[in-house]
Amino acid sequence: MSTGQTSGARRGTAAVALAAALVLVVSGCGGEEAGKPQEPKRTERAKGDGATERQDNDAAEPRQVLATIEGRSGLIITVTKADRDSGGFVTVSGTLKNTSDEDFISTDATDWSGDEEEVLKHGESLGGATLVDSTGKKRYYVLRDTEGRPLCTTFESDIEAGKSVPVFAQFPAPPANTRKVDFQIPTFPSASIEISG
Protein backbone atom coordinates (compact mmCIF):
# COMPACT_ATOMS: atom_id res chain seq x y z
CA MET A 1 0.00 0.00 0.00
CA SER A 2 1.39 3.38 -0.96
CA THR A 3 1.91 6.24 1.46
CA GLY A 4 -0.90 8.22 -0.24
CA GLN A 5 -3.33 5.34 0.22
CA THR A 6 -2.32 4.92 3.88
CA SER A 7 -2.85 8.60 4.73
CA GLY A 8 -6.17 8.52 2.80
CA ALA A 9 -7.27 5.48 4.79
CA ARG A 10 -6.27 7.19 8.03
CA ARG A 11 -8.25 10.31 7.06
CA GLY A 12 -11.25 8.11 6.26
CA THR A 13 -10.97 6.32 9.61
CA ALA A 14 -10.63 9.65 11.43
CA ALA A 15 -13.70 11.00 9.62
CA VAL A 16 -15.75 7.92 10.59
CA ALA A 17 -14.57 8.20 14.22
CA LEU A 18 -15.44 11.92 14.28
CA ALA A 19 -18.89 11.26 12.80
CA ALA A 20 -19.52 8.54 15.41
CA ALA A 21 -18.44 10.88 18.22
CA LEU A 22 -20.79 13.59 16.93
CA VAL A 23 -23.68 11.12 16.83
CA LEU A 24 -22.98 10.16 20.46
CA VAL A 25 -22.75 13.81 21.55
CA VAL A 26 -26.00 14.75 19.77
CA SER A 27 -27.86 11.71 21.13
CA GLY A 28 -26.45 12.43 24.61
CA CYS A 29 -27.81 15.97 24.48
CA GLY A 30 -31.14 14.67 23.30
CA GLY A 31 -31.17 12.23 26.18
CA GLU A 32 -30.69 15.05 28.68
CA GLU A 33 -33.55 16.99 27.14
CA ALA A 34 -35.72 13.90 27.22
CA GLY A 35 -35.02 13.51 30.94
CA LYS A 36 -36.10 17.08 31.74
CA PRO A 37 -39.68 17.70 32.78
CA GLN A 38 -41.71 19.12 29.94
CA GLU A 39 -43.68 22.28 30.50
CA PRO A 40 -47.40 21.79 29.99
CA LYS A 41 -48.73 22.94 26.68
CA ARG A 42 -50.74 26.12 26.85
CA THR A 43 -53.55 27.30 24.67
CA GLU A 44 -55.51 30.48 24.60
CA ARG A 45 -59.26 30.43 24.47
CA ALA A 46 -61.63 33.28 24.00
CA LYS A 47 -63.64 34.43 26.99
CA GLY A 48 -67.05 36.00 26.77
CA ASP A 49 -65.67 39.52 27.12
CA GLY A 50 -63.50 39.21 24.01
CA ALA A 51 -60.26 38.72 25.97
CA THR A 52 -58.24 35.55 25.89
CA GLU A 53 -57.49 33.25 28.77
CA ARG A 54 -54.42 31.01 28.91
CA GLN A 55 -55.14 27.45 29.94
CA ASP A 56 -52.90 24.43 30.46
CA ASN A 57 -53.82 21.38 28.39
CA ASP A 58 -52.07 18.85 30.60
CA ALA A 59 -53.02 20.14 34.06
CA ALA A 60 -55.40 23.06 34.13
CA GLU A 61 -54.65 24.93 37.34
CA PRO A 62 -57.56 27.04 38.57
CA ARG A 63 -56.77 30.58 39.61
CA GLN A 64 -56.78 30.91 43.38
CA VAL A 65 -59.51 33.18 44.74
CA LEU A 66 -58.85 34.69 48.16
CA ALA A 67 -62.12 36.62 48.34
CA THR A 68 -65.10 37.68 46.24
CA ILE A 69 -66.61 40.98 47.34
CA GLU A 70 -69.94 42.16 45.95
CA GLY A 71 -70.53 45.89 45.96
CA ARG A 72 -73.31 48.13 44.80
CA SER A 73 -74.47 48.53 41.20
CA GLY A 74 -73.39 45.01 40.19
CA LEU A 75 -69.69 45.53 40.90
CA ILE A 76 -67.70 42.50 42.07
CA ILE A 77 -64.07 42.52 43.20
CA THR A 78 -62.29 39.17 43.08
CA VAL A 79 -59.04 39.15 45.08
CA THR A 80 -56.59 36.59 43.71
CA LYS A 81 -53.28 37.61 45.34
CA ALA A 82 -51.99 39.22 48.52
CA ASP A 83 -48.22 38.95 48.18
CA ARG A 84 -45.67 40.11 50.73
CA ASP A 85 -42.36 41.15 49.14
CA SER A 86 -38.89 41.61 50.56
CA GLY A 87 -39.17 45.41 50.40
CA GLY A 88 -41.71 45.45 53.23
CA PHE A 89 -44.87 45.81 51.12
CA VAL A 90 -48.01 43.79 50.52
CA THR A 91 -49.63 44.00 47.09
CA VAL A 92 -53.27 42.97 46.87
CA SER A 93 -54.47 42.29 43.33
CA GLY A 94 -57.38 40.84 41.42
CA THR A 95 -60.18 41.99 39.12
CA LEU A 96 -63.10 44.37 39.25
CA LYS A 97 -66.07 43.20 37.17
CA ASN A 98 -69.10 45.24 36.17
CA THR A 99 -71.88 42.64 36.09
CA SER A 100 -74.64 45.22 35.52
CA ASP A 101 -76.27 46.13 32.21
CA GLU A 102 -74.93 49.69 32.37
CA ASP A 103 -71.43 51.12 32.10
CA PHE A 104 -69.76 52.04 35.37
CA ILE A 105 -68.76 55.69 35.17
CA SER A 106 -65.23 56.21 36.50
CA THR A 107 -66.25 59.30 38.46
CA ASP A 108 -68.51 57.03 40.53
CA ALA A 109 -65.32 55.62 42.09
CA THR A 110 -64.88 58.82 44.13
CA ASP A 111 -65.98 57.02 47.30
CA TRP A 112 -63.13 54.53 46.91
CA SER A 113 -60.42 57.17 46.67
CA GLY A 114 -60.21 58.30 50.28
CA ASP A 115 -60.53 61.88 51.41
CA GLU A 116 -56.96 63.14 51.67
CA GLU A 117 -56.05 66.26 49.75
CA GLU A 118 -53.60 64.38 47.51
CA VAL A 119 -56.28 61.87 46.52
CA LEU A 120 -58.65 64.64 45.50
CA LYS A 121 -55.85 66.08 43.36
CA HIS A 122 -55.00 62.79 41.60
CA GLY A 123 -58.48 61.52 40.76
CA GLU A 124 -60.50 58.38 41.32
CA SER A 125 -58.66 55.27 42.49
CA LEU A 126 -58.64 52.51 45.09
CA GLY A 127 -56.68 54.89 47.34
CA GLY A 128 -59.22 54.55 50.16
CA ALA A 129 -58.62 50.80 50.53
CA THR A 130 -57.15 49.52 53.79
CA LEU A 131 -55.81 46.34 55.35
CA VAL A 132 -56.82 45.74 58.96
CA ASP A 133 -54.78 43.54 61.26
CA SER A 134 -57.32 42.69 63.97
CA THR A 135 -54.78 40.81 66.10
CA GLY A 136 -52.25 43.66 66.08
CA LYS A 137 -55.05 46.24 66.17
CA LYS A 138 -53.57 48.22 63.29
CA ARG A 139 -54.94 49.63 60.03
CA TYR A 140 -52.69 49.93 56.94
CA TYR A 141 -53.43 52.51 54.24
CA VAL A 142 -52.51 52.47 50.54
CA LEU A 143 -48.97 53.73 50.03
CA ARG A 144 -48.35 57.05 48.22
CA ASP A 145 -45.42 58.09 46.04
CA THR A 146 -43.43 61.26 46.67
CA GLU A 147 -46.01 63.34 44.78
CA GLY A 148 -48.92 61.95 46.78
CA ARG A 149 -50.24 59.58 44.08
CA PRO A 150 -51.64 56.36 45.55
CA LEU A 151 -49.87 53.12 44.61
CA CYS A 152 -53.02 51.44 43.36
CA THR A 153 -55.38 51.24 40.41
CA THR A 154 -56.63 54.60 39.15
CA PHE A 155 -59.83 54.89 37.12
CA GLU A 156 -59.34 57.02 34.04
CA SER A 157 -62.04 55.43 31.90
CA ASP A 158 -65.44 53.83 32.37
CA ILE A 159 -65.91 50.08 32.84
CA GLU A 160 -68.32 48.76 30.23
CA ALA A 161 -71.20 46.50 31.20
CA GLY A 162 -70.03 42.90 31.55
CA LYS A 163 -66.32 43.81 31.43
CA SER A 164 -63.54 43.20 33.94
CA VAL A 165 -60.43 45.25 34.69
CA PRO A 166 -57.36 44.27 36.70
CA VAL A 167 -56.96 46.09 40.02
CA PHE A 168 -54.25 46.32 42.68
CA ALA A 169 -53.33 48.23 45.81
CA GLN A 170 -50.01 48.30 47.66
CA PHE A 171 -49.75 48.60 51.45
CA PRO A 172 -47.03 48.60 54.10
CA ALA A 173 -46.57 45.00 55.23
CA PRO A 174 -47.93 43.91 58.60
CA PRO A 175 -45.53 41.94 60.85
CA ALA A 176 -44.27 38.68 59.34
CA ASN A 177 -46.35 36.56 61.71
CA THR A 178 -49.55 38.27 60.55
CA ARG A 179 -51.08 36.15 57.81
CA LYS A 180 -54.78 37.04 57.90
CA VAL A 181 -56.05 40.59 57.42
CA ASP A 182 -59.32 42.24 56.45
CA PHE A 183 -59.30 43.97 53.06
CA GLN A 184 -61.63 46.96 52.99
CA ILE A 185 -62.74 49.30 50.22
CA PRO A 186 -65.28 52.05 50.94
CA THR A 187 -68.85 51.04 49.91
CA PHE A 188 -67.83 47.33 49.75
CA PRO A 189 -68.14 44.88 52.64
CA SER A 190 -64.77 43.86 54.15
CA ALA A 191 -63.29 40.47 53.34
CA SER A 192 -60.75 38.34 55.17
CA ILE A 193 -57.73 37.45 53.01
CA GLU A 194 -54.50 35.57 53.64
CA ILE A 195 -51.11 37.11 52.87
CA SER A 196 -48.57 34.88 51.15
CA GLY A 197 -44.81 35.24 51.28
Side-chain angles (χ1 to χ4, degrees):
M1 187 180 278
S2 70
T3 307
Q5 289 176 329
T6 304
S7 62
R10 283 185 189 150
R11 278 193 296 255
T13 305
V16 170
L18 180 60
L22 284 173
V23 167
L24 287 174
V25 167
V26 170
S27 66
C29 289
E32 284 178 21
E33 287 297 312
K36 288 184 181 176
Q38 297 292 319
E39 286 194 27
K41 296 176 185 169
R42 298 182 183 271
T43 58
E44 292 189 351
R45 66 180 178 89
K47 295 197 300 188
D49 60 5
T52 56
E53 180 180 56
R54 291 184 71 181
Q55 186 178 43
D56 293 344
N57 284 343
D58 297 342
E61 185 178 318
R63 183 177 58 175
Q64 183 181 13
V65 174
L66 300 179
T68 301
I69 313 166
E70 294 186 25
R72 64 187 185 197
S73 306
L75 297 172
I76 297 177
I77 290 182
T78 303
V79 179
T80 54
K81 287 185 181 178
D83 293 336
R84 184 190 305 268
D85 67 26
S86 57
F89 310 115
V90 168
T91 303
V92 177
S93 54
T95 58
L96 170 64
K97 184 167 186 176
N98 178 5
T99 64
S100 74
D101 296 332
E102 297 180 8
D103 293 355
F104 175 75
I105 310 302
S106 61
T107 54
D108 290 344
T110 302
D111 292 338
W112 307 342
S113 300
D115 53 7
E116 304 102 286
E117 209 171 294
E118 291 87 356
V119 173
L120 299 174
K121 184 169 56 176
H122 295 296
E124 286 73 30
S125 69
L126 288 180
T130 58
L131 291 182
V132 177
D133 173 7
S134 298
T135 306
K137 296 182 172 35
K138 192 162 184 184
R139 182 180 300 268
Y140 297 89
Y141 295 89
V142 171
L143 293 166
R144 273 32 181 196
D145 67 14
T146 55
E147 295 179 13
R149 285 187 293 260
L151 301 181
C152 63
T153 300
T154 56
F155 298 97
E156 297 173 1
S157 59
D158 302 341
I159 304 172
E160 294 177 30
K163 299 285 183 178
S164 297
V165 294
V167 292
F168 81 97
Q170 194 170 53
F171 303 89
N177 61 347
T178 300
R179 303 291 296 202
K180 293 207 174 210
V181 292
D182 290 330
F183 179 57
Q184 299 179 337
I185 298 173
T187 76
F188 282 84
S190 66
S192 179
I193 60 174
E194 187 165 347
I195 298 172
S196 62

